[in-house]
Amino acid sequence: MRTPTEMIVGLVLCPCGLLLTLTGTLAPSWRQVSLIPEQPMDVVWEQGIWDICRERQSTHDRLCGQADELGYFEQVPVRVAQGLMPSSLVVTLVGLVVAALGVRCWQPEPRHLVAGVAGLVLLLSGLMSLVPSSWYTQELWALPAPSGSTLTVGYSLVLSYLGSCLEILGGLALALSFHHCSKECRAPKLPPTPVTEAGLGSSRAYNNPWDVLADEQDGQHWGRSPPCDSDL
């Protein structure tokens, strides 16, 4: 049996979302701080949820592990992101394992119920990463920063958004497997007809053409299986 389309979509989108979310979690660029007073014009601070880096754009010198003098890591949106983003990655991995067991590309028939459960797990993982990304974006200009500096969204936050959306879409696609499961449960199982059973369990050999003509006139064996040349 061919793998259903919704399962293929889910297995493509969710791993892509996992990679984007992983990059957004680890890369220290959720927010960029530029035009910092008493600093060279080309100095940019890149703040993530784990580290703060200082980069001079003219020379591309980059130094991470900067001291948090303004209490950036003590803010609630950053703390929430530190907890939910790694948890989302773990839940995504679990959902992908369950999805692989449900889709079963190496088997003739997939397990629609297991694939649907995997879709719900992946949907949850996408929401777990979308919540801190949205909250951080809302509070981006309220988080501590040097006065007079310019604040912009970093690429890590954008990747986290995209990864969350892909995981949500992939989870919804896999959750559509519940529809196939419900159709299989509602489909009636018809018992075999007596004609089919008789046709499968009986056969008759013909010794001469007169037996074939007599059987045609009788009408008892013709309805089950027509005579062929090898019976003559």
Side-chain angles (χ1 to χ4, degrees):
M1 178 181 177
R2 188 179 65 178
T3 304
T5 305
E6 60 270 15
M7 293 186 181
I8 297 176
V9 173
L11 289 181
V12 171
L13 294 182
C14 289
C16 295
L18 175 62
L19 293 177
L20 293 177
T21 306
L22 177 62
T23 305
T25 303
L26 298 179
S29 185
W30 281 50
R31 184 177 74 165
Q32 290 184 347
V33 184
S34 58
L35 301 179
I36 305 170
E38 300 179 359
Q39 294 285 341
M41 295 290 294
D42 60 343
V43 171
V44 176
W45 287 358
E46 293 187 345
Q47 299 173 325
I49 60 176
W50 309 106
D51 199 2
I52 299 178
C53 296
R54 179 181 184 273
E55 181 180 359
R56 294 200 65 170
Q57 295 181 337
S58 59
T59 59
H60 298 287
D61 292 335
R62 185 182 180 89
L63 182 62
C64 294
Q66 299 293 310
D68 182 19
E69 300 177 353
L70 300 176
Y72 166 79
F73 291 118
E74 300 299 326
Q75 302 302 309
V76 177
V78 180
R79 288 292 187 89
V80 171
Q82 290 176 347
L84 286 182
M85 294 301 291
S87 302
S88 172
L89 296 175
V90 175
V91 175
T92 303
L93 289 175
V94 174
L96 288 176
V97 172
V98 178
L101 297 177
V103 175
R104 298 197 310 170
C105 298
W106 60 90
Q107 295 290 337
E109 293 288 339
R111 296 176 180 176
H112 296 288
L113 180 60
V114 178
V117 172
L120 296 181
V121 174
L122 292 168
L123 176 61
L124 175 62
S125 68
L127 293 176
M128 290 176 63
S129 58
L130 183 62
V131 169
S133 302
S134 302
W135 193 0
Y136 189 97
T137 303
Q138 183 179 0
E139 300 294 332
L140 188 142
W141 287 271
L143 296 175
S147 59
S149 58
T150 302
L151 306 178
T152 56
V153 176
Y155 71 90
S156 298
L157 187 58
V158 177
L159 293 181
S160 300
Y161 257 118
L162 293 177
S164 303
C165 294
L166 290 181
E167 290 176 4
I168 291 174
L169 292 177
L172 290 175
L174 286 171
L176 293 177
S177 301
F178 284 123
H179 177 63
H180 294 278
C181 181
S182 62
K183 287 198 304 184
E184 291 179 356
C185 295
R186 292 197 305 263
K189 296 182 179 180
L190 299 177
T193 60
V195 176
T196 305
E197 293 179 347
L200 294 175
S202 63
S203 62
R204 179 178 179 183
Y206 296 93
N207 297 323
N208 53 66
W210 304 109
D211 293 340
V212 177
L213 296 177
D215 205 4
E216 289 181 3
Q217 296 174 358
D218 198 15
Q220 296 178 355
H221 188 67
W222 179 258
R224 294 192 298 267
S225 58
C228 50
D229 295 339
S230 59
D231 296 330
L232 299 177

